[in-house]
Amino acid sequence: NNNIQIALSRFNRLYSREDDIDRLIDVLIAFEALYLSDRQSELSYRLALNFATHLSFDDTARRMELFRLMRKAYKLRSDIVHGKRNELNPKVLQHIPSYNMNELIIELIKNLRFALQDMLKTANSGLSLKDILERLEMTIITGKKISKT
């Protein structure tokens, strides 16, 4: 799938980047490619909801933590990309588990690695990314984990 290839490409670029802003943008583009394939409205909400549900369906506290992490990270990315911020104020990071940019990026990369591994395994079973996301949305709607196969 092209979106998985985009996510993998951005993931691989992370290791050659030295600038934290570039790394943050790459990691969030990778998450967008995985979880926002149709680019509809309210991207940050949908991205955070899909991300948190995919990585932590069974643990409500962890799911909320991941949801908040992604919302904050995506807001930071949007501010940077749209020119509202050209440096990172540490206060922006105070409400998420990691308090400095490097720790935030490390946490996002760790979760991206897990998400990519799971998505690739599921895609290799014959499901398209669209099918995977539809099952994820049904999991969110019904509150019941939908089988991957």
Side-chain angles (χ1 to χ4, degrees):
N1 182 291
N2 190 44
N3 286 48
I4 293 175
Q5 291 300 321
I6 291 168
L8 281 168
S9 173
R10 290 296 178 153
F11 178 76
N12 289 329
R13 287 182 196 182
L14 291 167
Y15 295 100
S16 63
R17 300 271 196 200
E18 293 183 21
D19 183 74
D20 282 343
I21 290 175
D22 289 337
R23 292 174 70 210
L24 176 70
I25 291 168
D26 278 337
V27 74
L28 287 159
I29 288 172
F31 279 120
E32 281 181 338
L34 288 178
Y35 294 112
L36 299 176
S37 65
D38 60 0
R39 306 274 189 229
Q40 291 179 357
S41 64
E42 192 50 62
L43 296 181
S44 70
Y45 177 81
R46 288 183 52 236
L47 173 61
L49 187 62
N50 287 347
F51 163 73
T53 302
H54 177 221
L55 296 187
S56 190
F57 175 77
D58 296 324
D59 182 343
T60 303
R62 176 72 176 146
R63 193 167 59 248
M64 272 313 294
E65 179 183 328
L66 291 172
F67 180 84
R68 288 183 182 124
L69 172 77
M70 185 56 71
R71 287 295 298 253
K72 287 286 185 182
Y74 197 80
K75 173 150 181 27
L76 235 112
R77 173 249 182 229
S78 293
D79 286 354
I80 292 165
V81 169
H82 298 293
K84 293 181 184 173
R85 181 181 310 276
N86 61 4
E87 61 182 48
L88 297 169
N89 180 339
K91 288 183 180 182
V92 174
L93 302 174
Q94 70 185 350
H95 299 293
I96 54 180
S98 301
Y99 292 99
N100 71 51
M101 180 58 82
N102 190 51
E103 290 171 353
L104 170 65
I105 292 168
I106 288 169
E107 179 69 15
L108 289 168
I109 290 170
K110 178 182 78 172
N111 284 291
L112 178 58
R113 181 180 294 112
F114 179 79
L116 280 167
Q117 288 171 340
D118 190 67
M119 287 281 199
L120 285 168
K121 185 175 14 169
T122 304
N124 285 336
S125 73
L127 290 176
S128 69
L129 183 59
K130 182 179 177 186
D131 293 335
I132 294 168
L133 293 177
E134 284 175 1
R135 288 170 187 251
L136 184 56
E137 288 173 359
M138 290 307 298
T139 295
I140 292 166
I141 291 167
T142 65
K144 297 177 183 172
K145 198 166 195 172
I146 306 297
S147 172
K148 293 179 186 176
T149 56

